Amino acid sequence: MVLVALSLIALIGSAALVLLAGSAEWQKNQLQQLADQAALDSALKIGIGCDAAKATAIITEADNFLATQRTRTGALSIAGGVCAAPYTGTDTFAGGLSETINYPYRAHQQQVEVVLTLTLPISFGGVVGKTSTTLVRRAVAQALPGSTSAVSATTLTCSSGQVNVAGSVLAQNLIVRSGTCALYAHARFDAASSTYSDLGNVSVYTDGQTWTAPGTCAVGNSGSKSAICADGFELSGHTAPACAAAATSYLLAGDKTINPNPCAAGTGPQPVPPLSTTLPPEPNTDASAIATLQGTGGAACTAAGVYNHAIVVGGSTVATGTVTTPVPVKDASGFYHFKPSCYGYLNPSSLSGGGGGITNRQTGPEAGPATGTLTLTLPANSQAGTLLVATLRSETSPSRKPFTAPAGWVSAVAGGAFLDGTAHTEIWYYPNNPGGIASVDFGVSPASINAVGLMTEWSGVAAASPLDKTGVVTVSSNQASVTISTSAAMTTANELVITDLGSDSDQSPENYTPGAGWTSLVSDSNNLFASQYRLSLPAGVASETVTGSQATAWAVMIASFKPAAGGGPGAVLDPGFYYFNGSGFAGGGGICLNGGTLLARDVTLEFVNQAGFSSGTCAAGGGAACAAAACQFGSTPCSLSACPPNTAADSPNNLTWFAAPCSTAPTGDAASCPASAWCTAGDRACSNVLIWAPASNTGQFAIKGVTVKHWLLGSIYWPGTCTDSVNGTSTISGTLFCGPLSISAGAGAGFAVGGNYGIATSLVEAVLVE
């Protein structure tokens, strides 16, 4: 009986252990699932920065989620006084369950840890000397922004300077450097809370990345050259992963303590994942975006749509769109406001400068032919402060100086363009005229020769010393066309450029065809006289080719006049969705800044076909680099230059960032990022999505030139070629996804890309990292 009793005890204990083991395994799975769900749920509450209130909200979210799954028996208690410690929440629930919630996890703002402990009673535990056991399961979840790289590109080229990225970098192919260019991935460290929102890693999918030329890495925004540098780790390869040496990686001391080395001893290979080519949902299929379109009757835009109706402001075509696309209207601050619609291209350059750009205020009738005195007239009295221009042609005389003018008038080129026996042309101008001028008498000498001419009035021209560049050409042999150019590059974009043509009377009548983009002021086939103008050329040499109806000799001149500084400074994209398909601009189209200023708030832009986003012209590839004195997307944010003395643009709209639909912006720039008027928070097609292009787009994202400035708030998805020239405080606050990306930084440049704001999370989810 003693032996039987002892055997029964052993059998009962073994059975209890078997039952306990089975129950424990089931409970472990349930407990892990519960920890995972609570961590993921609370991760969705993580925002920007860390303080007591934010930590409390995240911890409370996890605790409340657990309370929906288990009956709470205690009360949430939160301890800790600093984010770096971290904050810790504890609570108890029925069935022996207790929780510990840590936020931030290991000083990472984007991560939260949930630890669950379950106490299980052991049946017949008294027999084996133990009445209970505990199970512990934990989960660490990461918020959506924590799974996005600041820069992602198939091929990344560091062109010049030190290119600073506020966040991590991911490249499919080996990163290329030119000269002494340095690429530096900075951790996003919040000094106020001593926590990180991004650890500043560099990952390259292709094996064998070279990190230094040799070169040097120096902590901070300057001092690095000929190297790829990171505050976090640098990892290259998917077949044979390898890390960079200490000289270029883990440059920020605190980073390594919370950012595990993927190549540490005893660690298995961690291959770099390939760059995903997935794009967010197309904005043009999103109901909220389509609802903002004007002039479409409620329909979406199409890639094949014919959007070539000229939208004209002040005599210049500033865009093409549908026949019902609204014409931009100037506000009290001088900015022209565009509305959401389907466009072929948009070129706001002529809307920048004095008074919203140079404008042809009035054109008088052609005068003459007359001898002795040539009287030019205007339809109405001139306005004080404007520029008057007279284009003149006469027969030739031995004096070579046939014209004299009243006080105030200045000859653009003394003697003009003279070809004996053919014609004599001259351009005269009256800067900052006193007003009230409706006619002017030019003396013609000798009195035996005939002269013709025309007077025009222009607003928005510099009041003092407006003449910039001139040019003269004479062609003595009969030619079917003539090209006239300024002798040097114009100082700024959007100057008034006027040509004055005279041809040989032996080929009368002569019909003149202006060069592409030029507007005719007068074309007199019988008196062999023509004049054209242009307002939207970029800074550079101005040139026009005029074609005659028959071969002839030519005497031609050209003059350019500078726009006034200040005044109407440019254009604004009002809130909504904008679509560009290049219609009306062969081989290019899209948005071409071309020397102007363009502001925007609460917008999403889509580009298809060959349409591009360019700081230059609308030509394929973005045209030449912007060389104008004023060439910018957005205006200097108050977060980068304190307001005052810095002033936000377009008062009272107070625009700084060229911004996507968003709800948070850097301190001081709240006006640029109010709650969207049309895009619901979290809408993956528009929320924080600034620019979107499909893989089939052949246009380019091209911000080029040493004078271009840009402050873009939002994420950019451009599978094609990208170029980004970073000057001064210019930056893309958000993420940049490109195919081939070439990026350069001027002296003293700040962060080229990245930051905690403007991050679109269309392609990521909250994930479990531990």
Side-chain angles (χ1 to χ4, degrees), residues 454-533:
L454 181 81
M455 181 164 58
T456 53
E457 182 183 10
W458 307 85
S459 61
V461 181
S465 303
L467 182 66
D468 188 17
K469 298 296 184 290
T470 60
V472 171
V473 66
T474 58
V475 180
S476 57
S477 60
N478 288 343
Q479 301 289 333
S481 64
V482 63
T483 298
I484 177 66
S485 304
T486 54
S487 59
M490 295 186 298
T491 304
T492 66
N494 313 315
E495 294 192 8
L496 164 63
V497 187
I498 291 184
T499 57
D500 188 355
L501 297 92
S503 60
D504 195 338
S505 58
D506 289 344
Q507 274 69 44
S508 178
E510 185 81 49
N511 296 313
Y512 306 98
T513 301
W518 291 77
T519 301
S520 176
L521 289 169
V522 62
S523 183
D524 187 342
S525 59
N526 293 317
N527 290 302
L528 295 309
F529 169 51
S531 179
Q532 295 90 32
Y533 75 94

Side-chain angles (χ1 to χ4, degrees), residues 68 103 372 463 466 470 473 487 543 593 611 647 675 726:
T68 66
Y103 177 80
T470 60
V473 66
S487 59
S543 181
L593 192 58
T647 304
V726 185

Side-chain angles (χ1 to χ4, degrees), residues 242-314:
C243 292
T248 62
S249 61
Y250 287 119
L251 299 176
L252 193 62
D255 196 302
K256 192 171 186 177
T257 63
I258 65 169
N259 188 8
N261 186 344
C263 299
T267 302
Q270 298 185 36
V272 176
L275 178 68
S276 173
T277 57
T278 304
L279 294 171
E282 181 182 2
N284 194 43
T285 63
D286 184 77
S288 297
I290 295 170
T292 69
L293 296 171
Q294 299 187 25
T296 69
C301 306
T302 62
V306 180
Y307 308 135
N308 60 5
H309 175 72
I311 300 172
V312 179
V313 175

Side-chain angles (χ1 to χ4, degrees), residues 325-512:
T325 296
V327 175
V329 176
K330 186 165 68 172
D331 66 17
S333 294
F335 285 88
Y336 283 85
H337 287 250
F338 287 84
K339 299 297 181 182
S341 190
C342 308
Y343 292 90
Y345 75 92
L346 189 154
N347 179 355
S349 59
S350 64
L351 304 179
S352 296
I358 297 176
T359 301
N360 179 209
R361 188 169 183 270
Q362 57 178 330
T363 299
E366 181 185 2
T371 60
T373 299
L374 178 66
T375 301
L376 307 183
T377 62
L378 290 172
N381 286 342
S382 67
Q383 177 179 296
T386 60
L387 175 75
L388 304 180
V389 178
T391 49
L392 308 168
R393 181 212 185 272
S394 73
E395 297 169 335
T396 59
S397 71
S399 71
R400 300 174 67 96
K401 294 182 180 179
F403 297 107
T404 56
W409 287 86
V410 183
S411 175
V413 175
F418 178 89
L419 182 60
D420 193 26
T422 296
H424 190 155
T425 57
E426 292 191 21
I427 296 176
W428 289 69
Y429 65 98
Y430 194 141
N432 194 26
N433 90 89
I437 296 175
S439 66
V440 59
D441 292 334
F442 280 87
V444 182
S445 177
S448 59
I449 63 173
N450 285 303
V452 292
L454 181 81
M455 181 164 58
T456 53
E457 182 183 10
W458 307 85
S459 61
V461 181
S465 303
L467 182 66
D468 188 17
K469 298 296 184 290
T470 60
V472 171
V473 66
T474 58
V475 180
S476 57
S477 60
N478 288 343
Q479 301 289 333
S481 64
V482 63
T483 298
I484 177 66
S485 304
T486 54
S487 59
M490 295 186 298
T491 304
T492 66
N494 313 315
E495 294 192 8
L496 164 63
V497 187
I498 291 184
T499 57
D500 188 355
L501 297 92
S503 60
D504 195 338
S505 58
D506 289 344
Q507 274 69 44
S508 178
E510 185 81 49
N511 296 313
Y512 306 98

Side-chain angles (χ1 to χ4, degrees), residues 145 357 517 547 620 657:
T547 304
W657 293 97

Side-chain angles (χ1 to χ4, degrees), residues 20 45 75 78 96 168 218 310 323 337 376 430 449 472 476 520 538 564 670 683 690 694 706 711:
L20 177 62
K45 287 289 186 181
I78 299 177
S168 296
V323 293
H337 287 250
L376 307 183
Y430 194 141
I449 63 173
V472 171
S476 57
S520 176
D683 187 330
L690 180 61
V706 296
W711 300 276

